Structures are given as C-alpha cells and as structure tokens.
Amino acid sequence: MKELGNLLLLDDSARSIVLQTRLGRSVKNFIDPPPRADQVWKYRRLRDKHPLWEERVPATGGYNCVGLVWASRRTGIFDEDQIQLVFGDDGFRLVDISSERLFPGDLVAYWTSSPPRHFIHVGLIMEFRSIAGLPGQSVPWVLSKMDATSGEVAHGLRDVDFGLEFVVEYWTERPRHKQE
Amino acid sequence: MARQLDYLLSEHFSDSVGFILPPAALRLVLGKSVGVQDLTKAIRRGEVSTKVLRSFVSRLASEFKAGEHLRGDLALAALTVAVESHRTKFADEFIKSLANLHVAELPVCTRIARECLKYRKTLPKDLIRINRYPHKTPVIRLSRPIRVRAINIAELNMRSGHVVRSVGKTIEVGCRFERTTRRRFRSGNAWKMKITRQQRELI
C-alpha cells in the first residue's frame, strides 16, 4: 500500500530480548519506545479518574503489565497465545478463593466476561487492605501497569476501567499444600 | 478531511478508548467505541471515500519519526477495526500491509491489524459473490411489507437485491451468496438487528 510510504521500506525495528518460560520455550516480546508527551498526559488524565490509585512509577515505556509480572520490567508481552504459554509452562494454577486464601505475590488476571474469552490485564497482589465499615473483610491491593506507556500503580482489585465487562481470576504457582 | 477521521486523532477519542489493552481486547474496545462505529457507517454509506481514507493514512504515515511512537498509531488501529469487515481493495491492502509491519514506532496499529486479520471474514474458495439474485428464494425479499423502521433500512443501505430472514428475535439482512452446487445464506456477511414480536409476525 503506497500510502504507508517509507514505513514499508523499514526493516524490522521492533526490539526484543531473549525470554523463555520455565520449560525453556521462547516467549515473543517487544520493547516499545518511551511514551510521547501526549501519551504521558493521557495517562495522567486516566490516572486522575481513580483517586485511590497510588503511583509507584510515573509513565514509562519498555514494558507492559505482563512484562512487569513475568519479565521483571525488561520487556512487554502482548500476544494472548504467549500469555497462555507462560501460564501453562510456569506452573500456574487457578486459585479457588472459596477454599483457599490468597497471598501477596499471587496474580490477579482480568479476562473479558463474554465469550470468546480474551486476556485484558494482569497484576501482582501486594497486600490486603481492610474495607472501611466492614471489619474482618479485606480486598487485594494490586500492583500493575495499565499499558506499555503508563506508569505503575497500586490499586484496589476492582478499581479499574477497561471499557469492557471483565471477570477476575486469581493465579498462583504456590503448591496446593499451603491451603488453609 | 472527514470529521469521523479527525475525531480519531482527538484527545477525546484517545481518552474514551482508555488504556491500550492487549490487541485482542483492544480490538473489542475499539469496535464498541462511538468513533469507530461512526466511521464504519460513514464508509458504508459512502460519506467517507477511499480517496479520503488513503490521504488520511498517507498524512499519518508522513509524520513518522524513528524512535518515537507515531502520533496516529491509535487512529490507524481504529481505522483498521472500522474497515475490518469491509471487502474492498483498500481494506485488504491496508490491513495486510499494517499486519506485515514490525516497526517499534507503530506498536498498536500493527498488532491490531494482525488481530483483525484473524477475524476478517474471508469467503471460502468455493463461494463466489454474485450480483444477480435468484427469483425463487426461501427468504423474504425486501419488497414485502415488513415493518422494519425506515431509519434502519437507511442505515443498512439496503437495495432491492438484499434479502432478509427471521432468526429468533433478530432478522438478518444481507447479500446472497451462491455455492457452486447449492445456494446458501451466509449470515457472516449479514447485518443483524432486533425486531419486536409484532414485527416478526409480519415477516
């Protein structure tokens, strides 16, 4: 398509690093460029809609939510099949919160609620905070990066807005014997 | 440039899309966004021509700077979703060209294009689109008095050759396709809309 002009002549300029699952299978990843000024402003506008969010790192590029959780902030993982690959190869299992308690370090994954199921977001449970007015009840507090150009924020489990109906799943690689 | 295309470059559109989710989820968000839906309708009605779309793409591509996100990255992604179901030369070229790009500066639109390509409905090789429609048809032609609101008919840009049929609570409106051996209605290329029970009884 000639309208894309010189873009068609560019070599593959997407940067990536060597990243593998526990079973040694390669994980496709991309290091996106740093955010432009208008992307930083957009992030700030969206962040300000959530007054309870606590910012750990301001807007930054290079990695996304999946990269934060599974690649130590070195790169971003975007493809759904790659995310499924990590879930499988790294020995993650679903946590049934009716019979098992969650721990800091467990993962919270957000998926679209209507079929076909698509991955939306993942975050790391940092701690549990009590809910005002409800003694004995607590909510997971999650560390995540909303997209590849946003900052890292700590937020309540459901204090997120993806523009889609979503369901939450808890995942862990802990062995089952830690059940309570 | 068409206002629908201008809107894709606006702060308002960018904020309405929210955070850039992984490609499969972002495609859904873009598909639901008012900006993309307006553009899809405008293209279908002929309000936004291929020439205008080409010039829009050309303008955004010319703003490319190495090492920086392209300003129109999200707009190109939105355009990809808007033309995903269009069977035009432009849509074919545009989506395939973007999907084949692996450029760091266009992360969103290239990933969305690859995603759209998966969902882009392609006709099986034994199906051909025909421009003449059979006289004898098991489904009801538009010329019959069905009470679909006129505005819906206008939105769907239906012609006399189009056919409708009732499927549960929806009626499907679309073009007829012909297989080499037998005729079949291809609902994948049909538009769907809700009708009331009273309307359904009239069909």
Side-chain angles (χ1 to χ4, degrees), chain B residues 2 24 49 91 143 177:
Chain B
S49 67
S143 53
F177 289 83

Side-chain angles (χ1 to χ4, degrees), chain A residues 93-109 123-128 138-142 157 168-174 178-180:
Chain A
R93 63 178 174 86
L94 265 172
V95 179
D96 177 6
I97 53 167
S98 62
S99 60
E100 193 178 352
R101 66 173 276 206
L102 293 167
F103 280 84
D106 289 344
L107 302 184
V108 174
L124 196 64
I125 297 178
M126 297 163 56
E127 59 181 340
F128 299 89
S138 63
V139 64
W141 212 250
V142 179
L157 179 70
V168 179
E169 282 179 356
Y170 306 96
W171 289 78
T172 188
E173 82 299 348
R174 282 183 287 114
K178 274 210 170 180
Q179 286 180 10
E180 290 205 333

Side-chain angles (χ1 to χ4, degrees), chain B residues 44 85-87 121 123 129 139 155-156 158 162-167 170-177 184-193:
Chain B
R44 190 169 287 153
S85 59
H86 291 194
R87 333 217 108 263
K121 298 171 190 87
L123 275 179
R129 188 189 284 271
V139 292
E155 274 173 13
L156 292 165
M158 291 195 282
H162 285 131
V163 287
V164 294
R165 73 171 185 181
S166 168
V167 180
T170 66
I171 59 166
E172 295 182 346
V173 185
C175 301
R176 179 163 284 283
F177 289 83
R184 75 184 260 246
F185 189 92
R186 186 175 158 80
S187 61
N189 276 47
W191 300 271
K192 291 180 183 176
M193 56 187 171

Side-chain angles (χ1 to χ4, degrees), chain A:
Chain A
M1 182 187 202
K2 65 175 193 260
E3 285 76 15
L4 287 171
N6 291 341
L7 295 180
L8 299 173
L9 304 174
L10 292 172
D11 287 332
D12 188 344
S13 64
R15 283 180 58 215
S16 63
I17 59 172
V18 174
L19 185 68
Q20 291 187 330
T21 63
R22 278 191 192 176
L23 296 185
R25 288 201 275 182
S26 294
V27 180
K28 257 195 258 173
N29 63 90
F30 300 98
I31 303 172
D32 285 354
R36 289 187 322 270
D38 61 302
Q39 289 174 312
V40 174
W41 284 109
K42 175 187 170 180
Y43 158 68
R44 288 179 186 167
R45 285 193 303 274
L46 295 175
R47 180 199 62 191
D48 292 346
K49 287 182 185 173
H50 300 269
L52 295 180
W53 283 10
E54 294 164 11
E55 189 178 73
R56 180 183 177 272
V57 176
T60 180
Y63 62 99
N64 66 345
C65 58
V66 190
L68 163 71
V69 171
W70 285 316
S72 304
R73 303 182 173 89
R74 287 170 292 183
T75 187
I77 302 164
F78 300 91
D79 296 337
E80 209 162 285
D81 55 342
Q82 300 300 300
I83 293 161
Q84 299 280 14
L85 182 77
V86 178
F87 269 123
D89 280 12
D90 284 12
F92 279 91
R93 63 178 174 86
L94 265 172
V95 179
D96 177 6
I97 53 167
S98 62
S99 60
E100 193 178 352
R101 66 173 276 206
L102 293 167
F103 280 84
D106 289 344
L107 302 184
V108 174
Y110 299 85
W111 302 83
T112 54
S113 59
S114 49
R117 200 172 103 115
H118 288 302
F119 173 82
I120 300 178
H121 188 59
V122 67
L124 196 64
I125 297 178
M126 297 163 56
E127 59 181 340
F128 299 89
R129 294 191 185 177
S130 55
I131 305 167
L134 291 170
Q137 299 238 26
S138 63
V139 64
W141 212 250
V142 179
L143 176 69
S144 74
K145 189 170 188 284
M146 289 295 163
D147 67 25
T149 57
S150 73
E152 274 182 39
V153 290
H155 56 84
L157 179 70
R158 293 188 180 273
D159 185 15
V160 286
D161 180 14
F162 302 119
L164 291 170
E165 297 278 313
F166 63 85
V167 289
V168 179
E169 282 179 356
Y170 306 96
W171 289 78
T172 188
E173 82 299 348
R174 282 183 287 114
R176 282 188 191 275
H177 60 75
K178 274 210 170 180
Q179 286 180 10
E180 290 205 333

